[in-house]
Amino acid sequence: MNVIDRSRRPPLSPQEGWLSDGRQVLHFRPLRYDCWSQRLEVTFGEVMPGGEPPLLKKRRELTREQAIKLWAQKRQQGWQPCEPQWRPPPAPDVR
């Protein structure tokens, strides 16, 4: 009988998450999630001295699979989950 460890499995719906190696920060944020499109925005930042908010370097849109792969890669390299490092901009108001 196989027992599946669900704590090691990624969540079924995308969630916001933060990783840092002490010098750089990654912010994973869900953009779209439906049956056909599961995409996250990943923002890369550089930690600044003196407690300043990180310097935002680049932003990419990834599929859920790409984001899970990047998260796992960074965790293997020693990156750790961390508290939010900046306040993301609000979602655009589309009226």
Side-chain angles (χ1 to χ4, degrees), residues 27-66:
H27 176 220
F28 294 77
R29 184 175 73 133
L31 286 180
R32 286 192 303 273
Y33 185 76
D34 57 38
C35 295
W36 302 278
S37 177
Q38 300 172 7
R39 303 200 57 87
L40 290 94
E41 175 184 78
V42 180
T43 306
F44 299 79
E46 184 177 318
V47 175
M48 301 302 290
E52 294 290 322
L55 176 63
L56 303 184
K57 291 291 195 174
K58 61 183 172 178
R59 185 173 286 149
R60 291 178 36 200
E61 189 174 315
L62 302 176
T63 65
R64 178 178 185 267
E65 292 77 21
Q66 291 170 324

Side-chain angles (χ1 to χ4, degrees), residues 17-20 24-26 28 71 74-75 79-82:
W18 297 80
L19 285 178
S20 178
Q24 299 174 43
V25 176
L26 289 177
F28 294 77
W71 181 280
K74 294 300 183 184
R75 288 301 313 258
W79 290 53
Q80 297 294 316
C82 64

Side-chain angles (χ1 to χ4, degrees), residues 8-24:
R8 308 259 319 146
R9 196 175 90 193
L12 295 177
S13 62
Q15 297 178 358
E16 185 172 23
W18 297 80
L19 285 178
S20 178
D21 69 351
R23 294 175 298 131
Q24 299 174 43

